[in-house]
Amino acid sequence: MNMAVMAKSQDVVVLLKWLCCLTAKSYADLASELGMSVGEVYSATQRVALAGLFDLESKRPRMNALREYLVHGVKYASQHKGVPPLAGCPLLTPRHSCGN
C-alpha cells in the first residue's frame, strides 16, 4: 500500500535545526530547543527522511537534496488557503543564521 505523506511547514524548521547541530542531538534535545514536542520533532524528521532530504542513520540532512528543496521547493510548502508562502518568511533571508 502506497500512502502519500503531507509535508508540514514545521518540517523545514526541524530539518534546518538538524543542519545546525554541531554535535549529536536527541529528538528530546531538539524538541526542547525548538519549543516543540518530541513527537512533532520525530514525525517531522521521519517525513523529511521519507522525502529524501534527511539520512536517519547519520542524523544529517542530505545536502544536495536540501539545497535543491530550499532553492526551488520551500516557497511552495505553505501555500494553503489564507496562509502566505514561506518565501516571504524573514527567517529565510540570508542575514539570518543558525545558532546553537
Side-chain angles (χ1 to χ4, degrees):
M1 178 165 79
N2 188 5
M3 290 187 80
V5 176
M6 184 65 100
K8 296 183 178 187
S9 297
Q10 71 187 27
D11 297 353
V12 176
V13 174
V14 172
L15 187 57
L16 292 175
K17 186 62 178 175
W18 279 115
L19 178 65
C20 294
C21 293
L22 300 176
T23 60
K25 299 262 184 167
S26 68
Y27 292 109
D29 290 337
L30 263 66
S32 175
E33 292 173 14
L34 292 170
M36 298 170 68
S37 73
V38 175
E40 288 173 313
V41 171
Y42 178 82
S43 295
T45 302
Q46 297 301 307
R47 284 190 297 271
V48 295
L50 189 60
L53 300 171
F54 189 80
D55 180 16
L56 289 171
E57 192 172 312
S58 67
K59 288 193 174 177
R60 298 298 305 156
R62 292 189 167 131
M63 293 308 296
N64 289 337
L66 174 59
R67 187 177 299 111
E68 182 178 341
Y69 181 65
L70 291 175
V71 170
H72 301 290
V74 77
K75 65 183 176 183
Y76 303 106
S78 69
Q79 289 191 355
H80 303 287
K81 289 183 203 175
V83 179
L86 287 174
C89 177
L91 293 177
L92 296 178
T93 59
R95 68 171 196 247
H96 288 86
S97 62
C98 294
N100 279 337

